[in-house]
Amino acid sequence: MGLPDAFSFMLLMSSLQTIILKVGHLIKPKHEGRVKEGFKIMFLNNESTKFKNVWTTHSRSPIAYERGRIYFDNYRRCVSSVASEPRKLYEMPKCSKSEKIEDALLWECPVGDILPNSADYKSSLIALTAHNWLLRISATTGKILEKIYLGHYCKFRYLSWDTPQEVIAVKSAQNRGSAVVRQAGIQQPILLYLAVFQVLPFSLIGILEINKKIFGNVTDATLSHGILIVMYNSGLVRLYSFQTIAEQFMQQKLDLGCACRWGGTTGTVGESPFGIPCNIKITDTPPLLFEVSSLENAFQIGGHPWHYIITPNKKKQKGVFHICALKDNSLAKNGIQEMDCCSLESDWIYFHPDASGRIIHVGPNQVKVLKLTEIENNSSQHQISEDFVILANRENNKNENVLTVTASGRVVKKSFNLLDDDPEQETFKVVDYEDELDLLSVVAVTQIDAEGKAHLDFHCNEYGTLLKSIPLVESWDVTYSHEVYFDRDLVLHIEQKPNRVFSCYVYQMIAQGRIHLDISGQEAWRTQSKMMYVKYC
């Protein structure tokens, strides 16, 4: 475990520094900060501000949500949730099963960028179809603006951001070979493919194959922020620079829409039937940036300065988290975090998305926000301490008494301990960060009789103080899968029930006064009756 050499460490630091620089150079509209603060004050301080369930719908296919848009029927139908009641934006023509959209990402034009076409300044849905087409679809009309054929040598299935809003990675399904090949015990050398594109205008960076002859008995791989992450059954995680790999092992530079000769065949790159050949084939082990062993390959990097979180690679260590310095693998003081709880579901930990360098540790009855600070008189060493804790609203007594009567009539009292995630006690199920309003949102659930009652609480991100609570009217079954989104004046709850039944509950903010924001001539409104007027000059 550790860093191979100083040069590799510098490469890794360079990759991570790029992330900070890109985040730091985002251009914000002039009045955006003041408008958000005004909305936040109205949202939190107006006691008459409530959230009302305005729309409920059910579907046999997955429901997805992205930035005010709800997607149904494998992204074929789009509904806007911005209006007082959701309305249909568009519905694409029906298609065969082989043409359905399997995964999608929403691309939004960054403010300040100069783009070749005026249409490019509007949001687009980047979609991957079942028959290996990559599409750019207008997010407002559903019109296909661009299409790229990836090829037929593998089944591409997943989309993810390598660099958010800039570079996408298209990942194939794992190549397990035919049943006959598996029965014969023949190993398939190629595990999967990763196709990497710069977005808007679309340009190909390259398609990389993950070969077991090079990486060994690898079980999965992905790309994030320019770093190739390779995982193994043993729990080992290895990091490589994708840029270094592309520069060293790219066989031929390919440009979309250009003629190409490959393997004795001539065609146009990105068009059917030629597609895009795999043009990055690693022939030797690339330089290793970093490696570490962790239970279930769980590994995160974050903090200031850079630290990482792992669970020691032993099953009995599940629920134990080590926070270590990236530069030398040293364990931070108080860097072993283990929540004192007894529950069926595991607690979870992650670096705070607000870029503060803090850490969020979530258990069934508490949310700990931890901070990473220098040890006094020793700037090279760091320590973990509690910033604040959010506690579930429950009784302190964890013991339950049961009375039984024996055959002789003697009353016997037995005591047993409740689990920390017992459904009859308030339990935390979802914790998220709302970046626009700088709030922590927490979903807490309590089982009352046969129904689970949930409420969405908003806490101050700086001190953890409870600021507002929104009850959800629908029953919450803890055995189902749930997603909850908060987007300014919208709360959206997506639930997956057995037998692929999906439900969507939409809540809109209802205030006694109407809130009207005038931002340099552009108007944004909030609901009903009496007018309150706020203007930022």
Side-chain angles (χ1 to χ4, degrees):
M1 178 177 76
L3 299 167
D5 52 48
F7 177 70
S8 296
F9 179 69
M10 288 174 63
L11 278 176
L12 180 58
M13 291 297 100
S14 175
S15 299
L16 295 172
Q17 187 66 23
T18 302
I19 303 168
I20 294 178
L21 290 173
K22 285 179 177 175
V23 171
H25 281 79
L26 291 175
I27 301 172
K28 301 278 186 183
K30 182 179 177 182
H31 303 294
E32 183 179 0
R34 284 178 288 172
V35 171
K36 286 179 183 176
E37 192 61 29
F39 180 80
K40 181 177 178 179
I41 292 170
M42 180 275 298
F43 166 69
L44 295 174
N45 295 349
N46 190 346
E47 291 184 4
S48 64
T49 300
K50 308 289 183 184
F51 278 77
K52 180 182 178 183
N53 179 216
V54 297
W55 197 61
T56 299
T57 189
H58 308 281
S59 172
R60 282 286 179 181
S61 62
I63 302 171
Y65 175 78
E66 284 281 356
R67 296 282 183 177
R69 297 174 178 88
I70 310 170
Y71 294 96
F72 299 90
D73 302 330
N74 302 110
Y75 294 91
R76 193 177 60 84
R77 184 163 59 95
C78 177
V79 170
S80 171
S81 61
V82 175
S84 57
E85 185 173 318
R87 60 181 178 83
K88 186 168 74 174
L89 273 180
Y90 64 81
E91 186 168 353
M92 299 173 71
K94 290 186 177 181
C95 60
S96 65
K97 190 175 180 180
S98 66
E99 296 174 308
K100 72 172 185 177
I101 294 174
E102 293 211 326
D103 204 358
L105 298 170
L106 184 67
W107 180 87
E108 294 182 300
C109 171
V111 178
D113 280 15
I114 299 174
L115 300 173
N117 302 309
S118 58
D120 295 339
Y121 288 96
K122 296 182 179 179
S123 300
S124 301
L125 191 71
I126 300 172
L128 175 66
T129 70
H131 60 333
N132 281 359
W133 281 89
L134 190 63
L135 309 177
R136 185 165 75 88
I137 302 167
S138 167
T140 53
T141 66
K143 180 183 177 182
I144 296 176
L145 305 174
E146 285 184 81
K147 54 192 301 186
I148 299 166
Y149 182 59
L150 299 174
H152 54 77
Y153 50 87
C154 69
K155 165 67 174 158
F156 285 100
R157 183 165 286 172
Y158 312 103
L159 279 179
S160 64
W161 290 111
D162 171 33
T163 304
Q165 301 296 314
E166 291 186 22
V167 179
I168 60 168
V170 190
K171 181 177 173 180
S172 76
Q174 294 192 8
N175 179 22
R176 304 193 182 279
S178 65
V180 175
V181 169
R182 291 199 303 270
Q183 287 175 0
I186 300 172
Q187 286 281 336
Q188 296 292 318
I190 309 301
L191 178 71
L192 56 84
Y193 293 87
L194 290 166
V196 187
F197 295 86
Q198 188 85 30
V199 295
L200 222 62
F202 260 120
S203 60
L204 174 70
I205 297 175
I207 296 186
L208 166 70
E209 66 176 21
I210 302 299
N211 195 323
K212 292 182 180 180
K213 291 180 179 178
I214 301 298
F215 292 104
N217 194 24
V218 57
T219 56
D220 201 3
T222 190
L223 198 63
S224 178
H225 294 95
I227 297 173
L228 176 65
I229 304 168
V230 179
M231 290 156 274
Y232 298 81
N233 255 337
S234 62
L236 187 66
V237 179
R238 285 177 172 160
L239 309 186
Y240 303 88
S241 166
F242 175 72
Q243 181 180 345
T244 301
I245 290 172
E247 290 173 352
Q248 188 174 346
F249 299 106
M250 184 176 290
Q251 296 181 330
Q252 181 181 333
K253 180 79 171 71
L254 301 176
D255 295 310
L256 296 174
C258 294
C260 170
R261 183 169 180 80
W262 191 278
T265 305
T266 302
T268 303
V269 178
E271 293 186 5
S272 180
F274 188 75
I276 305 174
C278 176
N279 64 334
I280 305 175
K281 297 189 177 183
I282 302 174
T283 55
D284 196 7
T285 307
L288 180 67
L289 295 181
F290 183 84
E291 68 173 13
V292 70
S293 183
S294 180
L295 187 66
E296 298 174 349
N297 302 117
F299 169 73
Q300 303 175 57
I301 295 178
H304 307 310
W306 295 108
H307 279 65
Y308 63 87
I309 303 174
I310 61 167
T311 294
N313 197 14
K314 295 179 180 177
K315 286 186 178 180
K316 65 180 181 180
Q317 293 287 305
K318 190 174 179 68
V320 178
F321 304 99
H322 287 202
I323 304 166
C324 305
L326 188 63
K327 65 177 181 179
D328 59 8
N329 298 308
S330 61
L331 184 70
K333 184 179 179 182
N334 302 323
I336 300 177
Q337 292 292 314
E338 183 177 9
M339 195 161 281
D340 181 21
C341 63
C342 179
S343 59
L344 295 176
E345 295 184 13
S346 300
D347 50 319
W348 69 95
I349 193 168
Y350 57 98
F351 286 102
H352 200 311
D354 70 351
S356 65
R358 294 181 296 174
I359 296 166
I360 298 178
H361 189 183
V362 184
N365 62 345
Q366 59 182 311
V367 178
K368 289 184 179 180
V369 176
L370 310 172
K371 58 185 178 181
L372 183 66
T373 56
E374 289 183 358
I375 294 177
E376 193 173 351
N377 301 323
N378 188 353
S379 60
S380 63
Q381 288 275 313
H382 290 76
Q383 63 183 354
I384 304 296
S385 58
E386 283 185 5
D387 198 9
F388 60 82
V389 180
I390 299 170
L391 296 174
N393 183 20
R394 53 170 65 177
E395 296 178 4
N396 293 327
N397 184 16
K398 295 170 64 176
N399 297 325
E400 284 284 324
N401 294 320
V402 177
L403 300 178
T404 57
V405 180
T406 65
S408 62
R410 187 166 58 95
V411 177
V412 178
K413 181 188 290 186
K414 292 183 180 179
S415 179
F416 65 92
N417 290 330
L418 290 173
L419 291 172
D420 284 295
D421 59 352
D422 186 281
E424 294 185 1
Q425 303 182 94
E426 184 174 89
T427 304
F428 295 138
K429 293 297 181 183
V430 180
V431 177
D432 202 0
Y433 172 62
E434 213 301 312
D435 58 340
E436 292 192 340
L437 300 180
D438 193 32
L439 298 171
L440 277 177
S441 59
V442 179
V443 175
V445 181
T446 307
Q447 189 85 13
I448 300 173
D449 297 326
E451 284 194 340
K453 290 297 181 183
H455 53 91
L456 176 61
D457 295 340
F458 295 97
H459 295 261
C460 169
N461 186 43
E462 188 174 358
Y463 303 109
T465 312
L466 176 63
L467 302 173
K468 198 172 192 68
S469 185
I470 299 171
L472 303 182
V473 296
E474 65 274 9
S475 176
W476 183 294
D477 191 317
V478 295
T479 64
Y480 298 167
S481 174
H482 299 266
E483 296 173 47
V484 176
Y485 300 90
F486 172 66
D487 199 350
R488 291 206 181 187
D489 61 347
L490 168 83
V491 171
L492 187 136
H493 173 205
I494 298 174
E495 176 184 56
Q496 181 178 352
K497 300 175 182 178
N499 302 318
R500 291 184 62 82
V501 175
F502 298 84
S503 298
C504 178
Y505 308 91
V506 178
Y507 294 76
Q508 286 282 355
M509 188 172 73
I510 305 295
Q512 292 300 314
R514 178 171 175 170
I515 308 303
H516 185 105
L517 303 180
D518 184 354
I519 314 161
S520 301
Q522 293 185 352
E523 296 181 347
W525 56 271
R526 298 291 182 269
T527 49
Q528 96 188 40
S529 68
K530 299 176 184 177
M531 172 79 74
M532 181 190 299
Y533 190 84
V534 183
K535 182 169 181 176
Y536 294 93
C537 300

